[in-house]
Amino acid sequence: MEKILKVIDDVITNPPIPHEPYKQSLKNWAMYCLRDRGFIVVYDQNADFAVQFKSGEKLYFKVSNTADDLDSKVNWIVWDGAAKKVSLIPQM
């Protein structure tokens, strides 16, 4: 899983299109970027979305515009509006 998270981190830090908050939500942008790179992205009731593998296993993700009070049981994609960049905060 660590290798997969590294690839996902690379996808969101070097995206096919930049995140423009006034045009699309962070959730939809992240889902698009991951799908563009071949990941199977599904909606999930436990998170904002999940990346599903052929084995049926899932990695859960939530998105946020701030890095405050993040649940450590899930992976986070966080938008830093001041720096205008996105980062991945893996679950602990």
Side-chain angles (χ1 to χ4, degrees), residues 48-86:
D48 288 329
F49 63 90
V51 171
Q52 185 171 344
F53 303 99
K54 291 179 183 175
S55 65
E57 195 173 354
K58 294 181 183 178
L59 274 178
Y60 299 96
F61 291 87
K62 289 189 178 185
V63 298
S64 178
N65 290 321
T66 64
D68 301 332
D69 298 326
L70 302 179
D71 181 0
S72 64
K73 295 177 184 161
V74 85
N75 299 293
W76 286 89
I77 296 175
V78 179
W79 169 250
D80 180 350
K84 302 212 182 303
K85 66 180 217 170
V86 181

Side-chain angles (χ1 to χ4, degrees), residues 27-47:
K27 176 182 170 181
N28 287 338
W29 173 84
M31 291 173 64
Y32 170 81
C33 291
L34 292 167
R35 284 184 179 133
D36 184 66
R37 298 285 172 92
F39 286 97
I40 300 169
V41 181
V42 295
Y43 290 97
D44 195 273
Q45 66 185 16
N46 300 323

